[in-house]
Amino acid sequence: MKNLMKLICAALLVAGLCACEKIDVDKLEGTWTEQYDPAVFAMDGSVTYTFDGNGHYQLHVYTLGCEPQDYNGVYVVDFINKNTVTFNPHMSDFSSVTYKLVKLTSKEMEWQKEGTTYSVGGWGVDYRHFVRVK
């Protein structure tokens, strides 16, 4: 019984350490397009972010039947403590928003809006999923 308890404690310790894994900031740089499982959530346009690695981003938004729109802004990352990215952090008109980077690999990225919990109904708003374009 003692050995079983030691094994369980060791497994919990390893799981806890894995949950604290830091995200590699270098993987954020590049171009990402928002994408979901079309059987669950179909977008009627596209959203593409390009991160320059120096705190600036370009956002290209296309909505079906409308002219494409382009935006520029700044972002701040906290990969040391919270694995978050905050867009337009110095804006005073409530346009600042922070997302927790849930996943960031060389090909895929997932965000969860700070203060929200994951649900399929939150896809595209609270939960965002991206794939690398280049």
Side-chain angles (χ1 to χ4, degrees):
M1 186 66 170
K2 235 182 211 185
N3 287 337
L4 180 61
M5 288 302 286
K6 286 180 183 179
L7 183 62
I8 291 172
C9 287
L12 289 173
L13 177 64
V14 168
L17 291 174
C18 291
C20 296
E21 182 179 338
K22 298 299 177 204
I23 291 186
D24 183 0
V25 68
D26 295 329
K27 291 180 182 169
L28 182 63
E29 186 176 340
T31 301
W32 300 86
T33 189
E34 197 163 5
Q35 185 178 76
Y36 301 93
D37 177 353
V40 180
F41 181 72
M43 294 180 63
D44 60 353
S46 64
V47 175
T48 303
Y49 281 89
T50 300
F51 297 96
D52 70 359
N54 292 315
H56 296 90
Y57 71 92
Q58 293 178 330
L59 172 61
H60 179 78
V61 178
Y62 170 73
T63 304
L64 191 61
C66 298
E67 288 293 318
Q69 296 183 335
D70 292 305
Y71 305 92
N72 294 305
V74 297
Y75 67 95
V76 174
V77 292
D78 180 355
F79 289 114
I80 306 286
N81 300 313
K82 298 174 16 178
N83 287 342
T84 60
V85 60
T86 302
F87 292 93
N88 304 317
H90 307 294
M91 302 291 280
S92 60
D93 64 354
F94 303 104
S95 65
S96 175
V97 63
T98 299
Y99 290 94
K100 170 109 175 144
L101 283 117
V102 178
K103 180 178 188 178
L104 179 59
T105 68
S106 61
K107 297 180 181 180
E108 188 178 15
M109 177 167 59
E110 296 175 359
W111 303 346
Q112 183 68 44
K113 190 174 184 180
E114 202 168 62
T116 66
T117 56
Y118 173 82
S119 72
V120 174
W123 283 14
V125 180
D126 295 335
Y127 168 79
R128 317 269 307 267
H129 180 265
F130 297 86
V131 293
R132 185 178 295 280
V133 176
K134 54 181 174 176

